[in-house]
Amino acid sequence: MALSLLVIVHEFGHFIAARIFKTRVEKFYMFFNSGFSLVRFKKVNGKWRFKFFSKNVPEKYITHVRENPVTHKKEETYEPIDLTTLPKDDWRTEEEHTEFGIGWIPLGGYCKIAGMIDESMDVGQMSQEPQPWEFRSKPAWQRLIVMVGGVCMNVILAFIIYIGLLSSYGEQYLPTSEVNKYGITVDSLAYDLGLRDGDKILSVDGDYIEDFQQIPMEILLDNTKTMEVERDGEKIQIALPDNAVEKIIRHQKSFISARMPFVIEKFADKSLAKDAGMQEGDQIIAVNDISTAFYQDFVLNIKQFPNEEVNIAVVRNNDTLNYKVRLAEDCTIGVYAKPMLELKTQKYTFWQSVPRGFSKTGREISDYWKQLKLIFNPSTKAYESLGGFIAIGNVFPGTFDWYAFWRMTAFISIILAVMNILPIPALDGGHVLFLLYEIVTRRKPSDKFMEIAQYVGLFIILALVIYANGNDIVKLFR
């Protein structure tokens, strides 16, 4: 649903820009319609006409294949259809109007602009004399605006969504100052990087990060060199290793988290802890005389005693109490930990959300550019984490939530904008590159060159799609 919305918005950017410059848009489709369309509609003789499950027919040209008597190779020629001979209600007689529709192949969509070499590969049209309403007949600066129209619409959509989310929900995050009450807990990777349990992060490359959950991303995307932490009351400078980014990418999970005391908030329906006599509000401090001052310590140490009876010490009203608990195989005791760290919510009025939404959009674009740099840097091997349609689906929560839906829709809209502006033939960025070349040199690339470049670009995109979705499939079996 989100991807379909974003494709329509992107293609509408091309559509509206083309129409502003009086360039004909022959088709506007959601999904591809190879062979036939699920539904199509067009304004014919002043009325909207609809067709359902209709087969595609030759539009303007009949293709003839013949063998060259000299080279003995097959060649295609294109015979224009005399539109005046067609019935008055034939859709092809209304050239100036756009045909809208829904295809049956659920992969994106397209906006077919007259006189443009695009994914439709309509070489028949390109073999005819240019017409004033065609894309190729327009000045280079107008064609440039048409090509960036889709990317601009994706960025504008993300901006609008962020304004709506900020004004409706605000921003909620875990302040680093709140985490520093108890310090962080680290896994093996963070330990290798020089961090320790209980460290309080003061700065990353000299900058204080207000949102604790942004710290790993800052380290990854900005190739952080140093971190300052407070450890046992002393400030310590930690120099991260040169291959820190590569290690983080390979790790593929969070390497630092906030630690907090283990206070029982409530019990599960079947709770060993409740049956043993523990109460809500008790703070668990030890398992079999092993100190577990923090929740993470308890989770780590309790796993040593499957199917055994353990002694769990708790603090209640300044008294230390001990309870015997017979653990099952999974070593769980049936309690929910009470959140001991307070999230901060920043509220915005509508007018306050506009500049904040603008800066958030800019930051997301900047961060995704940095991620692309990591992917194209062989030393990081970030390309091994590239994902396809399964990965896109997995970013949405299992149960529908409007906030999560619109937040991820805005993020994917920015991904589409950045990916489409890459200078790869067949993408908008490839067309932009050739148009900039034309503007600077005043030499227009030939239609044959553009046709070959389009094929090369389509091959590159297909290879990337296969690789990304192949990664998804491999991950399913790991």
Side-chain angles (χ1 to χ4, degrees):
M1 178 178 175
L3 199 56
S4 300
L5 168 68
L6 296 177
V7 168
I8 290 296
V9 169
H10 179 90
E11 297 301 336
F12 182 72
H14 295 306
F15 175 87
I16 196 67
R19 299 303 294 160
I20 287 173
F21 296 120
K22 303 187 185 307
T23 303
R24 286 183 183 174
V25 179
E26 297 176 351
K27 292 186 177 183
F28 187 94
Y29 266 71
M30 183 171 76
F31 306 151
F32 291 101
N33 63 322
S34 178
F36 74 97
S37 304
L38 298 179
V39 60
R40 64 176 76 191
F41 52 97
K42 184 177 181 179
K43 198 170 187 180
V44 181
N45 296 328
K47 295 182 180 180
W48 285 100
R49 310 283 185 176
F50 290 81
K51 291 183 180 179
F52 299 93
F53 303 101
S54 57
K55 185 179 179 181
N56 297 345
V57 296
E59 296 173 17
K60 296 181 180 179
Y61 312 96
I62 299 175
T63 304
H64 299 284
V65 180
R66 68 180 183 87
E67 183 178 293
N68 189 304
V70 178
T71 63
H72 299 288
K73 292 183 178 180
K74 290 184 178 180
E75 295 179 348
E76 291 183 345
T77 58
Y78 305 94
E79 178 188 352
I81 297 174
D82 186 356
L83 301 183
T84 61
T85 63
L86 298 176
K88 290 184 178 180
D89 61 349
D90 193 298
W91 290 20
R92 290 170 290 183
T93 61
E94 297 280 353
E95 292 185 274
E96 69 275 14
H97 291 147
T98 303
E99 177 186 310
F100 300 91
I102 300 175
W104 61 276
I105 304 175
L107 297 174
Y110 68 94
C111 173
K112 188 176 185 300
I113 299 174
M116 174 182 169
I117 297 178
D118 56 11
E119 60 270 19
S120 68
M121 300 305 294
D122 189 354
V123 293
Q125 185 181 68
M126 301 305 293
S127 66
Q128 308 301 312
E129 286 295 317
Q131 300 298 322
W133 61 78
E134 290 185 339
F135 177 81
R136 55 180 166 169
S137 300
K138 302 299 179 180
W141 67 271
Q142 291 185 7
R143 285 180 278 138
L144 180 62
I145 292 175
V146 171
M147 291 317 305
V148 299
V151 169
C152 290
M153 283 299 294
N154 281 131
V155 173
I156 291 170
L157 176 64
F159 175 47
I160 293 172
I161 291 175
Y162 283 136
I163 290 175
L165 291 177
L166 290 167
S167 59
S168 300
Y169 299 94
E171 282 185 297
Q172 190 175 70
Y173 63 94
L174 179 60
T176 302
S177 59
E178 191 71 11
V179 175
N180 286 347
K181 287 181 179 179
Y182 306 108
I184 61 172
T185 184
V186 303
D187 66 3
S188 58
L189 171 62
Y191 192 92
D192 288 343
L193 297 179
L195 298 170
R196 298 292 182 266
D197 283 340
D199 281 354
K200 300 177 180 180
I201 300 176
L202 303 178
S203 67
V204 177
D205 269 347
D207 296 324
Y208 175 73
I209 309 299
E210 170 68 16
D211 183 352
F212 174 76
Q213 293 169 328
Q214 285 296 319
I215 290 177
M217 190 63 73
E218 291 285 338
I219 296 172
L220 178 64
L221 297 184
D222 292 335
N223 196 16
T224 297
K225 302 300 182 184
T226 62
M227 296 178 65
E228 184 180 28
V229 302
E230 180 183 321
R231 182 181 300 165
D232 299 326
E234 295 183 6
K235 293 182 179 180
I236 297 175
Q237 287 283 340
I238 299 174
L240 300 183
D242 293 336
N243 62 345
V245 170
E246 180 182 345
K247 287 184 175 181
I248 294 171
I249 292 173
R250 284 179 170 274
H251 198 57
Q252 291 194 353
K253 60 182 180 181
S254 179
F255 54 94
I256 60 172
S257 57
R259 69 176 186 174
M260 59 184 183
F262 190 1
V263 177
I264 299 174
E265 182 180 42
K266 61 181 180 179
F267 297 100
D269 292 337
K270 295 181 179 179
S271 171
L272 298 177
K274 184 177 182 180
D275 293 343
M278 297 183 205
Q279 298 180 8
E280 294 177 2
D282 286 353
Q283 180 179 342
I284 298 175
I285 60 171
V287 177
N288 281 357
D289 296 326
I290 301 172
S291 176
T292 57
F294 300 97
Y295 173 79
Q296 291 83 357
D297 299 332
F298 178 84
V299 172
L300 179 65
N301 286 286
I302 197 72
K303 293 178 181 178
Q304 302 177 44
F305 309 106
N307 302 312
E308 295 183 23
E309 185 179 79
V310 296
N311 181 71
I312 298 178
V314 305
V315 173
R316 182 188 304 160
N317 299 326
N318 296 323
D319 293 328
T320 300
L321 307 174
N322 292 278
Y323 295 95
K324 299 290 185 181
V325 178
R326 168 66 66 175
L327 297 176
E329 181 68 30
D330 61 5
C331 296
T332 60
I333 62 173
V335 302
Y336 295 93
K338 181 180 180 180
M340 301 299 290
L341 302 176
E342 187 177 348
L343 298 176
K344 182 176 181 180
T345 301
Q346 178 68 52
K347 293 291 186 179
Y348 298 93
T349 65
F350 174 79
W351 295 112
Q352 289 172 332
S353 68
V354 173
R356 178 57 184 156
F358 184 81
S359 64
K360 189 173 181 65
T361 303
R363 180 185 176 87
E364 293 287 2
I365 293 173
S366 174
D367 284 352
Y368 196 70
W369 269 117
K370 293 174 182 177
Q371 291 179 50
L372 282 180
K373 286 172 61 179
L374 292 176
I375 290 173
F376 290 109
N377 184 349
S379 65
T380 66
K381 296 188 177 180
Y383 54 83
E384 294 178 355
S385 303
L386 198 63
F389 299 118
I390 295 176
I392 292 173
N394 287 340
V395 302
F396 290 91
T399 56
F400 188 81
D401 175 77
W402 277 114
Y403 175 79
F405 172 80
W406 287 115
R407 180 171 57 84
M408 293 312 306
T409 299
F411 179 63
I412 296 174
S413 188
I414 285 188
I415 291 177
L416 286 179
V418 174
M419 292 296 292
N420 267 286
I421 207 64
L422 292 175
I424 298 175
L427 292 179
D428 296 344
H431 289 279
V432 168
L433 180 66
F434 296 135
L435 282 166
L436 290 175
Y437 168 82
E438 179 183 342
I439 291 172
V440 172
T441 65
R442 300 184 183 277
R443 294 174 57 190
K444 185 177 181 180
S446 68
D447 288 344
K448 187 63 177 178
F449 172 82
M450 293 296 293
E451 183 182 332
I452 294 172
Q454 190 75 9
Y455 276 117
V456 172
L458 289 172
F459 175 79
I460 293 172
I461 294 170
L462 180 62
L464 287 172
V465 169
I466 292 173
Y467 177 79
N469 286 281
N471 271 352
D472 282 348
I473 294 171
V474 169
K475 290 172 186 175
L476 289 176
F477 292 96
R478 283 181 178 173

